[in-house]
Amino acid sequence: MSKHQAFSFGLIPPVGKLQAYGFVSSKREMPSLNSEITDDNVTLGPQATKQELINGTAGDVYTPTLIQDSNLVSRKLLIIVTPTYARPFQAYYLNRLAHTLKQVPPPLLWIVVEMMSQSAETADILMRTGVMYRHLMCNKNLTDIKDRGVHLRNTALSHIETHRLDGTVYFADDDNIYSVDLFEQIRLIRRFGTWTVAKLMESKSKTLLEGPVCNGSQVIGWHTNEMTKRFRRFHTEMSGFAFNSTILWDPKRWHRPTLEPIRQLDTVKEGFQVSTFIERLVEDESQMEGLPEGCSTIMVWHLHLESSHSFYPREWLMKNNLDVIAQLA
Protein backbone atom coordinates (compact mmCIF):
# COMPACT_ATOMS: atom_id res chain seq x y z
CA MET A 1 0.00 0.00 0.00
CA SER A 2 1.26 3.51 -0.73
CA LYS A 3 2.53 5.44 2.26
CA HIS A 4 0.35 8.31 1.13
CA GLN A 5 -2.86 6.38 1.73
CA ALA A 6 -4.69 5.15 4.75
CA PHE A 7 -7.99 3.38 4.76
CA SER A 8 -10.56 1.69 6.92
CA PHE A 9 -12.62 -1.35 6.05
CA GLY A 10 -16.34 -1.51 6.72
CA LEU A 11 -17.50 -5.12 6.72
CA ILE A 12 -21.24 -5.53 6.38
CA PRO A 13 -22.98 -8.87 5.84
CA PRO A 14 -25.50 -9.06 2.99
CA VAL A 15 -29.20 -8.68 3.67
CA GLY A 16 -31.38 -11.72 3.12
CA LYS A 17 -30.49 -14.97 1.38
CA LEU A 18 -30.54 -13.99 -2.27
CA GLN A 19 -26.93 -12.85 -2.58
CA ALA A 20 -23.56 -13.92 -1.31
CA TYR A 21 -20.16 -12.90 -2.49
CA GLY A 22 -16.69 -14.24 -2.00
CA PHE A 23 -13.26 -12.74 -2.28
CA VAL A 24 -9.83 -13.53 -3.56
CA SER A 25 -6.86 -11.70 -2.06
CA SER A 26 -4.28 -10.78 -4.66
CA LYS A 27 -1.87 -9.01 -2.34
CA ARG A 28 -1.98 -10.36 1.19
CA GLU A 29 -4.16 -12.23 3.59
CA MET A 30 -6.59 -10.30 5.73
CA PRO A 31 -5.56 -10.14 9.40
CA SER A 32 -7.24 -12.47 11.83
CA LEU A 33 -10.37 -11.04 13.36
CA ASN A 34 -8.91 -11.72 16.78
CA SER A 35 -5.48 -10.23 16.11
CA GLU A 36 -4.25 -6.66 16.00
CA ILE A 37 -3.49 -5.02 12.68
CA THR A 38 0.18 -4.09 12.58
CA ASP A 39 0.09 -1.77 9.57
CA ASP A 40 -0.22 1.76 10.95
CA ASN A 41 -2.02 2.89 7.78
CA VAL A 42 -4.81 0.35 8.01
CA THR A 43 -7.66 0.16 10.46
CA LEU A 44 -10.51 -2.30 10.48
CA GLY A 45 -13.99 -0.85 10.51
CA PRO A 46 -17.04 -2.33 12.24
CA GLN A 47 -16.35 -5.73 13.76
CA ALA A 48 -17.44 -8.76 11.76
CA THR A 49 -17.78 -12.33 12.84
CA LYS A 50 -16.17 -15.17 10.91
CA GLN A 51 -19.60 -16.20 9.68
CA GLU A 52 -20.19 -12.66 8.39
CA LEU A 53 -16.94 -12.86 6.46
CA ILE A 54 -18.16 -16.08 4.89
CA ASN A 55 -21.50 -14.50 3.99
CA GLY A 56 -20.12 -11.06 3.23
CA THR A 57 -17.02 -9.65 1.62
CA ALA A 58 -13.56 -8.71 2.86
CA GLY A 59 -10.09 -8.39 1.45
CA ASP A 60 -8.43 -6.94 -1.59
CA VAL A 61 -10.41 -8.34 -4.52
CA TYR A 62 -14.15 -8.86 -4.56
CA THR A 63 -15.76 -11.35 -6.93
CA PRO A 64 -19.47 -12.19 -6.99
CA THR A 65 -20.29 -15.85 -6.39
CA LEU A 66 -23.50 -17.78 -6.82
CA ILE A 67 -25.45 -19.16 -3.89
CA GLN A 68 -27.55 -22.26 -3.64
CA ASP A 69 -30.98 -20.84 -4.26
CA SER A 70 -33.83 -21.49 -6.63
CA ASN A 71 -33.22 -18.05 -8.18
CA LEU A 72 -29.49 -18.01 -8.85
CA VAL A 73 -28.20 -14.44 -9.13
CA SER A 74 -24.72 -13.22 -10.03
CA ARG A 75 -24.22 -9.48 -9.84
CA LYS A 76 -21.26 -7.35 -10.78
CA LEU A 77 -19.49 -5.44 -8.01
CA LEU A 78 -20.28 -1.71 -7.98
CA ILE A 79 -17.34 0.44 -6.84
CA ILE A 80 -18.78 3.81 -5.80
CA VAL A 81 -16.15 6.54 -5.33
CA THR A 82 -17.12 9.60 -3.28
CA PRO A 83 -14.72 12.45 -2.48
CA THR A 84 -15.87 14.48 0.51
CA TYR A 85 -14.76 17.37 2.70
CA ALA A 86 -15.96 19.21 5.80
CA ARG A 87 -18.73 21.75 5.14
CA PRO A 88 -22.17 22.53 6.59
CA PHE A 89 -24.13 20.02 4.49
CA GLN A 90 -21.54 17.22 4.50
CA ALA A 91 -23.35 15.04 7.05
CA TYR A 92 -26.65 15.53 5.20
CA TYR A 93 -25.08 14.66 1.85
CA LEU A 94 -23.32 11.51 3.08
CA ASN A 95 -26.37 10.23 4.93
CA ARG A 96 -28.61 10.87 1.93
CA LEU A 97 -26.24 9.03 -0.39
CA ALA A 98 -25.87 6.18 2.11
CA HIS A 99 -29.65 5.72 2.24
CA THR A 100 -29.69 5.46 -1.56
CA LEU A 101 -26.83 2.95 -1.65
CA LYS A 102 -28.56 0.81 0.98
CA GLN A 103 -31.38 0.25 -1.51
CA VAL A 104 -28.98 -1.18 -4.12
CA PRO A 105 -28.62 -4.98 -4.11
CA PRO A 106 -25.09 -6.15 -3.22
CA PRO A 107 -22.27 -6.48 -3.97
CA LEU A 108 -21.42 -2.79 -3.60
CA LEU A 109 -18.29 -1.16 -2.22
CA TRP A 110 -18.37 2.52 -1.22
CA ILE A 111 -14.94 4.18 -1.33
CA VAL A 112 -15.04 7.49 0.52
CA VAL A 113 -11.95 9.71 0.31
CA GLU A 114 -10.94 12.71 2.41
CA MET A 115 -7.97 15.07 2.25
CA MET A 116 -5.13 14.85 4.78
CA SER A 117 -7.02 12.97 7.51
CA GLN A 118 -9.93 10.63 8.13
CA SER A 119 -12.31 12.83 10.09
CA ALA A 120 -14.08 11.34 13.09
CA GLU A 121 -17.37 12.75 11.83
CA THR A 122 -17.12 10.98 8.47
CA ALA A 123 -15.92 7.74 10.06
CA ASP A 124 -18.89 7.78 12.44
CA ILE A 125 -21.35 8.31 9.58
CA LEU A 126 -19.83 5.47 7.54
CA MET A 127 -19.91 3.03 10.44
CA ARG A 128 -23.63 3.67 10.92
CA THR A 129 -24.70 3.38 7.27
CA GLY A 130 -24.91 -0.40 6.91
CA VAL A 131 -23.08 -0.04 3.57
CA MET A 132 -19.79 -1.82 2.92
CA TYR A 133 -17.12 0.85 2.65
CA ARG A 134 -13.46 1.75 2.56
CA HIS A 135 -12.43 5.08 4.07
CA LEU A 136 -9.32 6.49 2.36
CA MET A 137 -7.10 9.50 2.96
CA CYS A 138 -5.17 11.59 0.43
CA ASN A 139 -1.94 13.14 1.70
CA LYS A 140 -1.39 15.46 -1.25
CA ASN A 141 0.21 18.81 -0.37
CA LEU A 142 -2.64 21.33 -0.35
CA THR A 143 -0.40 24.10 -1.74
CA ASP A 144 -0.02 22.14 -4.99
CA ILE A 145 -3.70 21.51 -5.50
CA LYS A 146 -5.84 23.23 -8.13
CA ASP A 147 -8.84 20.87 -7.91
CA ARG A 148 -9.21 18.94 -4.64
CA GLY A 149 -11.73 16.49 -6.10
CA VAL A 150 -9.28 15.35 -8.78
CA HIS A 151 -6.72 14.22 -6.21
CA LEU A 152 -9.31 12.56 -3.99
CA ARG A 153 -10.62 10.54 -6.93
CA ASN A 154 -7.07 9.68 -7.98
CA THR A 155 -6.44 8.25 -4.51
CA ALA A 156 -9.41 5.93 -5.06
CA LEU A 157 -8.24 5.01 -8.57
CA SER A 158 -4.81 4.12 -7.21
CA HIS A 159 -6.44 1.95 -4.53
CA ILE A 160 -8.60 0.15 -7.10
CA GLU A 161 -5.59 -0.46 -9.33
CA THR A 162 -3.28 -1.60 -6.53
CA HIS A 163 -5.81 -4.09 -5.15
CA ARG A 164 -7.17 -5.05 -8.58
CA LEU A 165 -10.78 -4.56 -7.58
CA ASP A 166 -12.95 -6.10 -10.29
CA GLY A 167 -16.21 -4.29 -10.92
CA THR A 168 -17.67 -1.07 -12.33
CA VAL A 169 -16.32 2.28 -11.12
CA TYR A 170 -18.66 5.23 -10.64
CA PHE A 171 -17.77 8.68 -9.31
CA ALA A 172 -20.73 9.61 -7.10
CA ASP A 173 -20.18 13.05 -5.61
CA ASP A 174 -21.92 13.38 -2.26
CA ASP A 175 -23.98 16.45 -3.20
CA ASN A 176 -25.85 14.83 -6.11
CA ILE A 177 -29.20 13.03 -6.02
CA TYR A 178 -29.31 9.56 -7.54
CA SER A 179 -32.07 7.25 -8.67
CA VAL A 180 -31.66 3.66 -7.43
CA ASP A 181 -32.35 2.57 -11.03
CA LEU A 182 -29.05 4.20 -12.04
CA PHE A 183 -27.02 1.63 -10.14
CA GLU A 184 -28.87 -1.27 -11.73
CA GLN A 185 -28.16 0.28 -15.14
CA ILE A 186 -24.48 0.63 -14.26
CA ARG A 187 -24.27 -3.11 -13.67
CA LEU A 188 -25.06 -3.66 -17.36
CA ILE A 189 -21.92 -1.82 -18.52
CA ARG A 190 -19.32 -3.90 -20.35
CA ARG A 191 -16.64 -1.23 -20.90
CA PHE A 192 -17.95 2.32 -20.59
CA GLY A 193 -21.45 3.65 -20.05
CA THR A 194 -22.82 7.19 -20.09
CA TRP A 195 -26.13 8.97 -19.46
CA THR A 196 -27.69 12.42 -19.14
CA VAL A 197 -27.33 14.53 -15.98
CA ALA A 198 -29.70 17.35 -14.95
CA LYS A 199 -28.11 20.40 -13.31
CA LEU A 200 -29.88 23.20 -11.49
CA MET A 201 -28.06 26.47 -12.09
CA GLU A 202 -26.73 28.33 -9.06
CA SER A 203 -29.21 31.11 -9.81
CA LYS A 204 -31.99 28.47 -9.41
CA SER A 205 -33.57 30.03 -12.52
CA LYS A 206 -33.18 27.09 -14.91
CA THR A 207 -32.09 23.49 -15.29
CA LEU A 208 -29.49 22.32 -17.80
CA LEU A 209 -29.22 18.86 -19.34
CA GLU A 210 -25.89 17.43 -20.41
CA GLY A 211 -25.04 14.00 -21.78
CA PRO A 212 -25.32 11.66 -24.75
CA VAL A 213 -27.87 11.54 -27.53
CA CYS A 214 -28.56 7.90 -28.33
CA ASN A 215 -30.07 5.59 -30.89
CA GLY A 216 -30.93 2.68 -28.64
CA SER A 217 -27.72 2.18 -26.68
CA GLN A 218 -25.51 3.67 -29.39
CA VAL A 219 -24.14 7.16 -28.67
CA ILE A 220 -24.67 9.27 -31.79
CA GLY A 221 -24.03 12.74 -30.40
CA TRP A 222 -23.99 14.97 -27.31
CA HIS A 223 -26.31 17.52 -25.78
CA THR A 224 -24.89 20.46 -23.84
CA ASN A 225 -26.13 23.88 -22.76
CA GLU A 226 -22.69 25.19 -21.86
CA MET A 227 -21.38 26.73 -25.05
CA THR A 228 -18.12 27.81 -23.38
CA LYS A 229 -17.24 24.11 -23.18
CA ARG A 230 -18.40 23.12 -26.66
CA PHE A 231 -14.84 22.32 -27.76
CA ARG A 232 -14.59 19.39 -25.35
CA ARG A 233 -14.33 15.97 -27.00
CA PHE A 234 -16.98 14.37 -24.76
CA HIS A 235 -19.85 16.33 -23.20
CA THR A 236 -20.80 14.72 -19.93
CA GLU A 237 -20.50 15.36 -16.20
CA MET A 238 -18.34 13.56 -13.63
CA SER A 239 -21.50 11.82 -12.46
CA GLY A 240 -22.58 11.00 -16.01
CA PHE A 241 -20.44 7.94 -16.74
CA ALA A 242 -19.03 4.72 -15.29
CA PHE A 243 -16.46 2.22 -16.52
CA ASN A 244 -15.06 -1.27 -16.07
CA SER A 245 -12.40 -1.20 -13.34
CA THR A 246 -10.16 -3.65 -15.19
CA ILE A 247 -9.30 -0.85 -17.64
CA LEU A 248 -7.16 0.54 -14.80
CA TRP A 249 -5.12 -2.59 -14.10
CA ASP A 250 -5.44 -4.92 -17.11
CA PRO A 251 -4.23 -2.91 -20.13
CA LYS A 252 -3.69 -5.97 -22.33
CA ARG A 253 -7.35 -6.96 -22.10
CA TRP A 254 -8.42 -3.57 -23.42
CA HIS A 255 -5.52 -3.13 -25.86
CA ARG A 256 -4.39 0.07 -24.22
CA PRO A 257 -1.44 1.60 -26.11
CA THR A 258 0.38 2.62 -22.92
CA LEU A 259 0.97 1.16 -19.46
CA GLU A 260 0.84 4.62 -17.87
CA PRO A 261 -1.65 4.72 -14.96
CA ILE A 262 -5.00 6.29 -15.81
CA ARG A 263 -5.59 9.30 -13.57
CA GLN A 264 -7.49 12.57 -13.65
CA LEU A 265 -5.53 15.78 -14.25
CA ASP A 266 -5.89 19.10 -12.46
CA THR A 267 -3.57 20.82 -14.95
CA VAL A 268 -6.14 20.99 -17.75
CA LYS A 269 -8.53 23.89 -18.30
CA GLU A 270 -11.46 24.07 -15.90
CA GLY A 271 -14.43 22.15 -17.26
CA PHE A 272 -12.28 19.88 -19.42
CA GLN A 273 -11.14 17.42 -16.72
CA VAL A 274 -13.96 14.97 -17.37
CA SER A 275 -13.48 14.85 -21.13
CA THR A 276 -9.70 14.51 -20.81
CA PHE A 277 -10.13 11.60 -18.39
CA ILE A 278 -12.65 9.82 -20.62
CA GLU A 279 -10.24 10.12 -23.55
CA ARG A 280 -7.91 7.80 -21.62
CA LEU A 281 -10.66 5.21 -21.14
CA VAL A 282 -12.13 5.00 -24.66
CA GLU A 283 -11.10 5.93 -28.17
CA ASP A 284 -14.49 7.17 -29.35
CA GLU A 285 -18.26 6.77 -28.99
CA SER A 286 -18.20 3.31 -30.60
CA GLN A 287 -16.75 1.98 -27.31
CA MET A 288 -19.54 3.56 -25.25
CA GLU A 289 -22.98 2.38 -24.17
CA GLY A 290 -25.78 4.90 -23.71
CA LEU A 291 -27.96 4.23 -20.65
CA PRO A 292 -30.79 3.50 -20.32
CA GLU A 293 -32.05 2.45 -23.75
CA GLY A 294 -32.44 5.62 -25.80
CA CYS A 295 -30.82 7.73 -23.05
CA SER A 296 -34.28 9.15 -22.38
CA THR A 297 -34.38 8.96 -18.57
CA ILE A 298 -32.78 11.35 -16.08
CA MET A 299 -31.22 9.37 -13.23
CA VAL A 300 -28.86 11.97 -11.67
CA TRP A 301 -29.56 15.50 -10.49
CA HIS A 302 -27.03 18.10 -9.39
CA LEU A 303 -28.50 20.82 -7.17
CA HIS A 304 -26.72 23.81 -5.66
CA LEU A 305 -27.67 23.73 -1.99
CA GLU A 306 -24.47 24.93 -0.34
CA SER A 307 -24.80 27.50 2.41
CA SER A 308 -23.16 30.88 1.92
CA HIS A 309 -21.99 30.70 5.56
CA SER A 310 -19.39 28.15 6.62
CA PHE A 311 -20.12 28.19 10.37
CA TYR A 312 -21.81 25.14 11.87
CA PRO A 313 -21.43 23.30 15.19
CA ARG A 314 -18.69 20.65 15.19
CA GLU A 315 -20.22 17.21 14.58
CA TRP A 316 -23.57 19.04 14.60
CA LEU A 317 -23.66 18.72 18.39
CA MET A 318 -24.88 21.55 20.62
CA LYS A 319 -22.55 21.64 23.65
CA ASN A 320 -24.21 24.77 25.02
CA ASN A 321 -27.82 25.88 25.02
CA LEU A 322 -28.79 28.31 22.27
CA ASP A 323 -29.58 31.87 23.23
CA VAL A 324 -33.22 32.47 24.08
CA ILE A 325 -34.73 34.64 21.35
CA ALA A 326 -38.43 34.23 22.16
CA GLN A 327 -39.47 34.10 25.82
CA LEU A 328 -42.20 31.74 26.99
CA ALA A 329 -45.58 33.46 27.31
Side-chain angles (χ1 to χ4, degrees):
M1 179 186 308
S2 170
K3 65 180 180 179
H4 298 299
Q5 297 180 11
F7 64 87
S8 301
F9 291 99
L11 306 174
I12 308 298
V15 178
K17 299 188 297 181
L18 291 181
Q19 301 87 26
Y21 21 110
F23 85 96
V24 178
S25 178
S26 62
K27 297 294 181 182
R28 65 186 185 281
E29 293 297 321
M30 282 292 291
S32 167
L33 293 173
N34 298 320
S35 64
E36 293 185 0
I37 299 173
T38 56
D39 190 335
D40 292 335
N41 290 325
V42 182
T43 56
L44 192 62
Q47 287 295 323
T49 65
K50 292 182 180 179
Q51 187 59 42
E52 286 172 340
L53 283 177
I54 294 173
N55 293 335
T57 304
D60 291 329
V61 177
Y62 297 78
T63 56
T65 61
L66 295 176
I67 61 164
Q68 299 302 318
D69 192 276
S70 58
N71 296 315
L72 293 180
V73 177
S74 178
R75 295 191 180 95
K76 198 170 186 178
L77 172 68
L78 298 181
I79 306 171
I80 309 302
V81 174
T82 299
T84 189
Y85 61 96
R87 60 204 193 278
F89 283 177
Q90 183 189 26
Y92 165 68
Y93 289 148
L94 289 175
N95 277 292
R96 181 178 66 184
L97 179 52
H99 281 293
T100 300
L101 297 181
K102 284 180 67 175
Q103 308 306 312
V104 181
L108 181 149
L109 174 64
W110 191 15
I111 299 180
V112 179
V113 194
E114 293 188 283
M115 186 67 72
M116 300 305 293
S117 65
Q118 298 167 318
S119 70
E121 294 90 339
T122 300
D124 181 65
I125 290 173
L126 294 177
M127 291 179 66
R128 296 171 182 271
T129 60
V131 177
M132 186 171 63
Y133 70 90
R134 288 185 182 181
H135 190 186
L136 276 61
M137 176 183 69
C138 175
N139 277 338
K140 188 76 174 180
N141 190 334
L142 288 172
T143 60
D144 300 331
I145 287 180
K146 177 181 177 182
D147 187 330
R148 170 175 45 197
V150 165
H151 296 281
L152 294 176
R153 296 185 194 96
N154 283 344
T155 296
L157 292 175
S158 177
H159 184 83
I160 293 167
E161 179 182 318
T162 299
H163 297 283
R164 298 198 166 204
L165 300 184
D166 190 355
T168 304
V169 180
Y170 178 50
F171 299 123
D173 287 351
D174 59 6
D175 56 348
N176 290 338
I177 299 175
Y178 305 92
S179 166
V180 175
D181 292 338
L182 168 68
F183 299 95
E184 290 306 302
Q185 290 290 326
I186 289 176
R187 279 205 166 102
L188 303 176
I189 293 173
R190 294 182 295 273
R191 175 173 183 150
F192 181 98
T194 183
W195 49 87
T196 301
V197 175
K199 302 186 298 179
L200 179 66
M201 297 299 292
E202 292 188 50
S203 63
K204 310 293 191 297
S205 61
K206 61 180 179 178
T207 300
L208 304 182
L209 301 179
E210 189 160 67
V213 177
C214 303
N215 179 13
S217 62
Q218 180 185 5
V219 177
I220 59 175
W222 300 92
H223 178 82
T224 180
N225 295 105
E226 300 189 58
M227 299 309 295
T228 58
K229 302 175 183 178
R230 64 186 180 278
F231 296 112
R232 292 180 298 179
R233 175 63 182 84
F234 302 114
H235 296 274
T236 188
E237 292 291 305
M238 190 68 71
S239 56
F241 69 93
F243 60 94
N244 193 310
S245 67
T246 61
I247 296 176
L248 300 175
W249 51 264
D250 193 357
K252 291 183 179 180
R253 173 181 174 182
W254 301 101
H255 307 290
R256 278 174 47 200
T258 175
L259 298 180
E260 182 182 355
I262 296 178
R263 300 292 185 268
Q264 295 184 7
L265 303 174
D266 72 348
T267 55
V268 299
K269 184 178 179 181
E270 182 179 358
F272 285 72
Q273 291 97 334
V274 175
S275 181
T276 302
F277 178 70
I278 294 176
E279 289 173 36
R280 308 192 67 185
L281 298 173
V282 297
E283 296 176 358
D284 54 37
E285 285 81 358
S286 68
Q287 297 178 340
M288 297 181 175
E289 305 162 49
L291 300 174
E293 187 79 7
C295 302
S296 58
T297 303
I298 303 300
M299 301 179 289
V300 185
W301 298 263
H302 179 67
L303 309 180
H304 292 277
L305 301 178
E306 290 296 342
S307 170
S308 58
H309 304 287
S310 60
F311 172 78
Y312 60 100
R314 183 176 176 80
E315 300 183 39
W316 286 102
L317 295 175
M318 304 293 189
K319 296 184 178 179
N320 299 310
N321 290 333
L322 297 176
D323 296 334
V324 175
I325 303 298
Q327 297 287 347
L328 296 179

